[in-house]
Amino acid sequence: MSVAPEHVAPFVTLAIGGVRIRFEAAEADLRIRVNFPRTLFVDTADSDADCVVRVRLGEPKLESPPTFVSGGPWELYEGESGGDRLAIFTGLASGEREPVMSVDLTPALDRADLTVNPRYAPERTFVVGYPLDEYLTARLLARRGSVIVHASTVSAEGRDGIGAYVFAGHSGAGKSTLAGIAEQNGFRVLSDDRTVLSVDNDLVFAAGTPWHGSHAGGSPDAAPVEAIFLLERAEANSVTRMASGQAFSELMVRSIRPMAQSGEHVGVMNVLERVVRAVPCAALRFASSAAALDAVHYFIRKEPMRDSNAPPPAAPDILER
């Protein structure tokens, strides 16, 4: 399927993990642009958005001291509408920071007023990107019982009838590497760096996101989760089942939680608790080879995933109980 490298319009709606965020130009000649792979997540359906962001040019508003400093490119302030004001910065060659935009959010997160520094909207075009879209999506997901985790996800649906494998890990753990290996072996990559996890009627689903690693792609689709694996680099492949409490802790520290309200934190904890109770979780020690998929498949199906002419792996070599 051919996907446009960019989408430029007076408004654009992104649909990520079931959340719909609409960015609208508040000035007549202003345009909104998304670049690939976000173009994969553009939603043209004529339905209501969960959050409408009105975009205008001007100097970002930062009158009061911050209420929260992330340590990264964004900070929170008290907003005018009783909600939060998000400020996003960029580093300058001098070592100082400059505010790129400020975003006033309503307490319900259903509306936002965004003011972007004109220097960062060349030719009066605002480019939707990280970390703004991830921040808004993460908070909206938390309120509806979903969470973004640092994880790659591959789907074998249509290949052999199974659903999705989720590979969670911090930066450098091998999420993109394993996603690439899986793709070479007939799997479809939903995401190689960030995955949305949700629970519906005790079934866990994984959805792709536009926030990617070296794979530079993604998919807006969702698939039922077969199992979740916590990645660890090793010289040999093995899978060890994890207790739900340990799996909860490991996923919690790998979740994206830019939340400002206690209810959002509770929402993340609740969904992760349901996730680890609903699907098997395991530690995957893996070498960078397709044999890691044999270990994964054996863990789930108790049979190797190889072609019919290849010798099956010995269970003790790939699976620890």
Side-chain angles (χ1 to χ4, degrees):
M1 180 179 64
S2 176
V3 179
E6 65 178 28
H7 179 93
V8 183
F11 61 87
V12 62
T13 300
L14 296 182
I16 304 170
V19 163
R20 301 177 77 252
I21 303 174
R22 179 183 172 99
F23 295 86
E24 297 181 348
E27 300 170 354
D29 59 344
L30 186 63
R31 292 294 179 266
I32 311 296
R33 187 177 86 200
V34 296
N35 297 324
F36 183 86
R38 282 172 180 80
T39 49
L40 293 165
F41 296 80
V42 171
D43 187 356
T44 58
D46 186 18
S47 55
D48 292 337
D50 298 285
C51 179
V52 177
V53 182
R54 297 276 290 167
V55 182
R56 57 178 47 84
L57 303 185
E59 289 298 319
K61 305 172 185 177
L62 302 175
E63 294 92 352
S64 59
T67 58
F68 180 81
V69 177
S70 71
W74 59 271
E75 296 177 355
L76 286 183
Y77 297 77
E78 290 185 1
E80 295 178 346
S81 60
D84 302 299
R85 175 177 294 162
L86 172 70
I88 295 176
F89 298 83
T90 188
L92 302 177
S94 63
E96 299 180 342
R97 297 192 311 162
E98 180 176 51
V100 175
M101 68 186 75
S102 62
V103 189
D104 275 288
L105 304 164
T106 60
L109 297 184
D110 58 341
R111 297 187 310 280
D113 290 315
L114 186 154
T115 303
V116 59
N117 186 321
R119 287 189 294 278
Y120 298 97
E123 299 180 351
R124 296 186 63 81
T125 300
F126 172 73
V127 181
V128 178
Y130 176 89
L132 173 62
D133 53 357
E134 184 185 70
Y135 178 92
L136 294 175
T137 302
R139 290 193 62 180
L140 290 165
L141 286 170
R143 293 186 176 204
R144 62 169 54 188
S146 300
V147 62
I148 304 170
V149 294
H150 287 279
S152 61
T153 297
V154 299
S155 172
E157 189 173 1
R159 179 180 186 276
D160 56 7
I162 61 177
Y165 298 151
V166 177
F167 303 108
H170 293 304
S171 178
K175 299 186 297 294
S176 294
T177 298
L178 200 46
I181 290 172
E183 186 175 45
Q184 292 170 7
N185 284 268
F187 289 76
R188 185 162 63 100
V189 178
L190 300 186
S191 175
D192 78 329
D193 194 62
R194 305 281 209 276
T195 293
V196 175
L197 294 178
S198 59
V199 183
D200 185 15
N201 293 326
D202 294 326
L203 291 176
V204 178
F205 289 86
T209 72
W211 310 298
H212 60 83
S214 59
H215 186 267
S219 170
D221 296 339
V225 175
E226 291 282 333
I228 298 174
F229 299 91
L230 281 298
L231 295 182
E232 179 182 335
R233 295 277 194 173
E235 295 183 358
N237 300 297
S238 66
V239 182
T240 307
R241 182 68 180 260
M242 300 177 69
S244 59
Q246 181 186 2
F248 173 87
S249 298
E250 296 287 353
L251 289 174
M252 192 69 183
V253 299
R254 290 166 176 82
S255 61
I256 309 296
R257 304 190 306 276
M259 293 91 188
Q261 297 184 3
S262 61
E264 295 167 0
H265 288 282
V266 172
V268 167
M269 290 189 290
N270 285 344
V271 70
L272 288 180
E273 182 179 10
R274 295 179 67 191
V275 165
V276 299
R277 292 183 183 278
V279 298
C281 299
L284 171 60
R285 299 173 184 88
F286 83 104
S288 298
S289 71
L293 298 178
D294 293 329
V296 165
H297 197 72
Y298 187 90
F299 173 76
I300 295 174
R301 295 294 191 229
K302 302 299 185 292
E303 60 183 14
M305 185 169 56
R306 292 178 182 268
D307 63 59
S308 58
N309 296 321
D317 293 335
I318 64 170
L319 181 64
E320 296 177 7
R321 301 297 288 179

